[in-house]
Amino acid sequence: MTKLHELAELGQAIWLDYIQRNFLASGKMQDLIDLGVRGMTSNPSIFEKAIAGSSDYDTDLADLISSGLGVEEIYEALAIDDIQHAANLLMPVYKNTFGADGYVSLEVNPNLAYDTDGTLADAMRLWQTVDRPNLMIKIPATKQGIPAIRQAISAGINVNVTLIFSLERYADVIDAYLTGVENRMGTGQPIDHIASVASFFISRLDTKIDKALTNRLAANPDLIFRVNPLLGQAAVANAKLAYQYFRSEFSSVRFKQLSAQGAHVQRPLWASTSTKNPAYSDILYVQELIGPQTVNTVPQETLDAYLDHGDVRVTIDSGLAKAQQSLAAIEKLGISLSEATQELEDEGVAAFAKSFSSLLDSIAAKQEAFK
C-alpha cells in the first residue's frame, strides 16, 4: 500500500495535473494508477506544452492537416483522443469506486469564459463527443460561467468547476451545483450519476498576497513584525475556510434532501498545488490540505515529492483560528482579498486564453510546414 492508497482511506483522492500522448501510451500513467492516482486533469496550458512542445502528435497532425481540417478542429481531435485514452485507462478506478473517482477533465474553449450560452453549448458538445461517463467538463467560475455550470449539471454533465479563488465565488459555485441537481430532479431525471468537483486554486493566492505584503514592507520597514508572519499563509488559510464552508453546505437540510435521492457531494479540489516559492516546502499545498471528501490534483514533481517525504494525516481541520486571524491581519494591512482574488480570476482566464492561442499558432505553423 502506498501513501496514495492511505490518503484514499482518509477520503482524499490524488489526481494528476498532466496529460501527454506518450505518457498515456507508454504505460507511465497506468503505473501511477497502480500507485494510487485516481484521476487526471488537463487545461489549455497543459495541452499547449504537450502538443506544441513535443513530437508525439506529429504523425496525427500530418493526417489531420491532409484531411483539410481547420486549426481548432485539429487541436480538438488531438485533445479528445488523449482524453478518451485517459478515460479508458481510468475506467477501472471509476468502476471500483462506484463513480467517486476515475475522472479525466477537459476544458471548454477558454475564449468563452465570459459567454454563458457559448460555454454551455461547448460543454454539451464536448460531453457528447468524448462520450465517456468518467469525463468531467471544466467550466471556469466566472460570473458568466456560474449559470452555465448550473445548466450543465441540470443536463446531467459532470462538471469540474475551475478557477475558484474566493470564498464568495465558491458559495455561488455550490449553489449552482445544488440548484442544477434540484432542477434535474424536478424534471424526474436521475441524479445519482452526476459528479462534480470545485477546483480551488491555491498557490497563486500566496504569490499575489506575498507580493502585496512585500510591497507594504518596502514602503514601511517598521511593519516587519506584522508582515513576516503572514508570508505564505493566505493560500492555505483560504482553502481551510473554504473546506469548512463545504462541510456546512453539504450537511445542510437542503443537501440531505438531495442526498436521499442519490445526489453526491461536490468535492473541493485543490488545484495549482505546486509550490512557486522555493523558500516554502515543496509539498506545502498537499501536506496542509489533507481531509475527507477532497481531491488534490498535482503535477508529477509534487507527487514525487509527497511520496518521498509527505505524511499521511488529516490536516485540513487544524489551525482554523490561525487561518481566520491571518486573513484578517492581511486585510488590516490594507490588502483586499476580494480584489486580489478577482485579479487572480481575470489573470487565470487570460493565461488560459493565451496558452490556447499559442497552441493554435503552433498548430498553424506545423500546418504550413507540412503543406
Side-chain angles (χ1 to χ4, degrees):
M1 177 179 286
T2 70
K3 289 180 181 179
L4 305 190
H5 295 121
E6 293 175 19
L7 284 177
E9 290 189 347
L10 292 180
Q12 182 172 78
I14 297 295
W15 293 2
L16 185 70
D17 194 30
Y18 179 73
I19 197 166
Q20 187 166 325
R21 182 152 300 182
N22 183 59
F23 186 79
L24 299 171
S26 66
K28 292 180 180 178
M29 181 59 193
Q30 185 58 56
D31 290 342
L32 291 184
I33 293 171
D34 295 339
L35 201 64
V37 168
R38 295 162 73 98
M40 194 173 216
T41 52
S42 70
N43 61 47
S45 298
I46 288 173
F47 270 119
E48 180 196 12
K49 292 175 184 176
I51 296 173
S54 77
S55 60
D56 291 7
Y57 300 83
D58 284 358
T59 299
D60 284 343
L61 266 170
D63 292 340
L64 292 167
I65 289 168
S66 65
S67 70
L69 293 179
V71 171
E72 285 198 31
E73 293 173 312
I74 292 171
Y75 152 71
E76 195 166 285
L78 296 173
I80 286 175
D81 189 59
D82 278 1
I83 293 295
Q84 289 175 327
H85 191 172
N88 293 342
L89 289 174
L90 287 162
M91 185 58 70
V93 178
Y94 177 78
K95 291 180 177 178
N96 291 338
T97 60
F98 303 99
D101 280 302
Y103 293 93
V104 59
S105 297
L106 175 63
E107 192 141 352
V108 296
N109 187 321
N111 292 317
L112 299 171
Y114 303 117
D115 179 349
T116 300
D117 293 339
T119 292
L120 180 62
D122 207 42
M124 296 185 74
R125 183 181 60 81
L126 291 173
W127 174 255
Q128 293 166 359
T129 303
V130 176
D131 192 27
R132 297 291 189 276
N134 57 333
L135 169 70
M136 281 191 175
I137 300 295
K138 294 180 81 171
I139 299 177
T142 59
K143 290 181 179 178
Q144 296 83 355
I146 294 297
I149 292 161
R150 181 179 66 247
Q151 294 173 68
I153 292 294
S154 183
I157 296 172
N158 301 327
V159 177
N160 178 340
V161 184
T162 187
L163 290 177
I164 306 172
F165 294 95
S166 72
L167 298 176
E168 294 78 12
R169 188 56 56 82
Y170 183 40
D172 295 337
V173 168
I174 291 178
D175 182 69
Y177 172 71
L178 295 176
T179 303
V181 174
E182 288 166 344
N183 291 345
R184 183 173 178 82
M185 189 172 69
T187 61
Q189 299 180 81
I191 61 173
D192 59 348
H193 69 284
I194 301 173
S196 182
V197 293
S199 293
F200 226 89
F201 278 53
I202 308 300
S203 65
R204 297 184 193 185
L205 183 60
D206 269 348
T207 301
K208 174 76 70 175
I209 297 300
D210 281 4
K211 182 178 180 180
L213 288 168
T214 303
N215 289 341
R216 290 288 187 280
L217 185 57
N220 185 356
D222 291 340
L223 293 175
I224 187 168
F225 295 110
R226 292 175 62 188
V227 166
N228 280 359
L230 298 175
L231 294 171
Q233 299 298 309
V236 168
N238 203 42
K240 285 178 180 285
L241 297 185
Y243 183 73
Q244 296 307 306
Y245 186 74
F246 156 76
R247 287 178 51 170
S248 172
E249 290 299 294
F250 285 94
S251 60
S252 66
V253 172
R254 181 185 185 188
F255 178 71
K256 286 179 180 178
Q257 292 174 340
L258 296 173
S259 179
Q261 302 301 315
H264 302 284
V265 300
Q266 181 192 54
R267 290 178 294 174
L269 180 150
W270 314 126
S272 185
T273 52
S274 61
T275 304
K276 307 300 189 291
N277 189 332
Y280 303 156
S281 165
D282 56 355
I283 56 171
L284 172 64
Y285 305 119
V286 180
Q287 189 63 68
E288 294 300 319
L289 300 176
I290 299 172
Q293 297 183 306
T294 61
V295 180
N296 197 318
T297 183
V298 296
Q300 181 74 57
E301 298 80 7
T302 305
L303 174 62
D304 292 341
Y306 180 76
L307 289 171
D308 178 66
H309 49 271
D311 293 329
V312 180
R313 54 188 172 85
V314 174
T315 55
I316 193 72
D317 287 327
S318 64
L320 294 179
K322 180 184 176 183
Q324 293 173 324
Q325 291 164 5
S326 294
L327 295 181
I330 289 169
E331 292 275 1
K332 287 180 179 179
L333 285 167
I335 299 170
S336 170
L337 288 167
S338 178
E339 290 179 6
T341 52
Q342 184 59 56
E343 287 175 5
L344 286 167
E345 179 188 299
D346 296 340
E347 291 165 2
V349 169
F352 282 159
K354 182 179 179 181
S355 292
F356 188 65
S357 177
S358 177
L359 169 58
L360 296 184
D361 288 345
S362 297
I363 293 175
K366 291 190 177 187
Q367 191 177 42
E368 287 301 313
F370 279 120
K371 285 180 181 178

